[in-house]
Amino acid sequence: MSHATLRSGLALSPVTLAPCAFEQAFEHTARAGFTGIGLRYDQFERYLAQGGTVDEVLGWLSAYGLQVAEAAFLAEWQYHGGVPLVSRRQRSGGVDETREHLLGRLHTFLQHCEQFECANVTAVPALRETGELALAAEEFASLCDLARPYGVRLCLEFMGTSPQISTLASATELVNLANRANGGVLIDTFLFHQGGSLVSDIARIPLERIFNVQLADAKDKPLAQLDMLADRLFPGEGVAPVQTIVDALVAHGYDGWWTVELFNPDFARLDPASLASRAAASAAALFERPLTDRKIAGASA
């Protein structure tokens, strides 16, 4: 297999390859030079339902030299007793939402993460409810405790539209209150921009609490009008301070995964191989500046 390898630690979320079948995403990701790939659990479940197996996926990871950088996602755990939905954004009140059923799905999800040696799982905060932050921290802590036996870390992804956890500062506060070694934050550069987070806050969060980073730029729209599922652009092609955020993270010492994640319906009309290559080039360009320049940028942010 011949493909160029990018900077170690660069990964691609398969949502970027909208027109691509689940199994094809592995080849396109590797051919573009990425060393990691994201696992969208809903896509994986559909693959299993169609007769696919875990062993087949493990075979692709081995054949293409890929690691699973992150798995998405857990939602609706905040102010719901710490019991999440798996790969669903909103509760419907159906019979499949009993505590027993949801915990069963959670453990199955975590078992698959363990099989794929995926340490990072995205946890999305409440997008509608608000409440006592201390209670949310207890719930996040309990979710971390459930994940720990599987070798999984919970990555709290602050969301620009969340009424309570919309910035890096608010996510850091919740994670610190939860005080679990396997509980940290995910920094998504699009959501960082959308929620108005401060680059200066990156230096204030303990390095060991930054678990994962996702890369995406944003269309030139008022922040209140941005749609995280439609308005993402390749890094460097929008108005979000992606380069400044990356510089600050590198200066702070972050050396984990950097995953390009681009929700944009316009990309569904493009060739998946070209999408992957363009994503790779845009991500690699973020790290072409000399390290000394990045430290200066990070220190002055």
Side-chain angles (χ1 to χ4, degrees), residues 48-65:
L48 292 180
Q50 294 165 0
T53 67
V54 169
D55 285 342
E56 286 174 337
V57 178
L58 289 171
W60 300 333
L61 291 170
S62 176
Y64 292 118

Side-chain angles (χ1 to χ4, degrees), residues 214-257:
Q214 293 176 341
L215 301 170
D217 220 317
K219 293 181 180 179
D220 188 3
K221 289 183 174 182
L223 298 182
Q225 295 179 18
L226 283 173
D227 184 341
M228 69 176 183
L229 300 179
D231 291 333
R232 293 174 183 254
L233 299 173
F234 292 94
E237 297 186 10
V239 299
V242 180
Q243 185 71 67
T244 304
I245 296 167
V246 169
D247 290 348
L249 284 163
V250 172
H252 195 37
Y254 176 75
D255 64 353
W257 287 105

Side-chain angles (χ1 to χ4, degrees), residues 114-268:
E114 184 178 36
Q115 287 177 296
F116 294 134
E117 298 182 348
C118 174
N120 291 332
V121 165
T122 303
V124 179
L127 296 178
R128 286 161 289 277
E129 303 91 341
T130 60
E132 293 294 329
L133 191 65
L135 174 58
E138 289 179 9
E139 293 173 323
F140 187 70
S142 69
L143 194 54
C144 289
D145 292 342
L146 289 171
R148 187 173 58 249
Y150 298 94
V152 165
R153 309 188 303 179
L154 270 294
C155 308
L156 180 61
E157 182 179 28
F158 55 94
M159 311 287 281
T161 56
S162 170
Q164 196 166 12
I165 311 298
S166 60
T167 64
L168 175 58
S170 57
T172 301
E173 184 179 7
L174 189 153
V175 164
N176 286 342
L177 282 173
N179 194 28
R180 292 295 189 270
N182 66 326
V185 300
L186 185 166
I187 296 176
D188 179 305
T189 57
F190 177 96
L191 300 175
F192 189 105
H193 168 68
Q194 184 185 39
S197 288
L198 301 176
V199 174
S200 57
D201 283 338
I202 291 174
R204 298 189 180 102
I205 179 173
L207 182 60
E208 64 272 14
R209 292 295 191 196
I210 305 175
F211 285 179
N212 196 13
V213 176
Q214 293 176 341
L215 301 170
D217 220 317
K219 293 181 180 179
D220 188 3
K221 289 183 174 182
L223 298 182
Q225 295 179 18
L226 283 173
D227 184 341
M228 69 176 183
L229 300 179
D231 291 333
R232 293 174 183 254
L233 299 173
F234 292 94
E237 297 186 10
V239 299
V242 180
Q243 185 71 67
T244 304
I245 296 167
V246 169
D247 290 348
L249 284 163
V250 172
H252 195 37
Y254 176 75
D255 64 353
W257 287 105
W258 308 82
T259 303
V260 181
E261 182 183 68
L262 304 176
F263 293 96
N264 188 322
D266 293 338
F267 295 165

Side-chain angles (χ1 to χ4, degrees), residues 22-38:
F22 175 77
E23 57 269 28
Q24 294 174 334
F26 292 82
E27 180 176 1
H28 290 309
T29 297
R31 294 290 183 192
F34 290 100
T35 57
I37 189 170

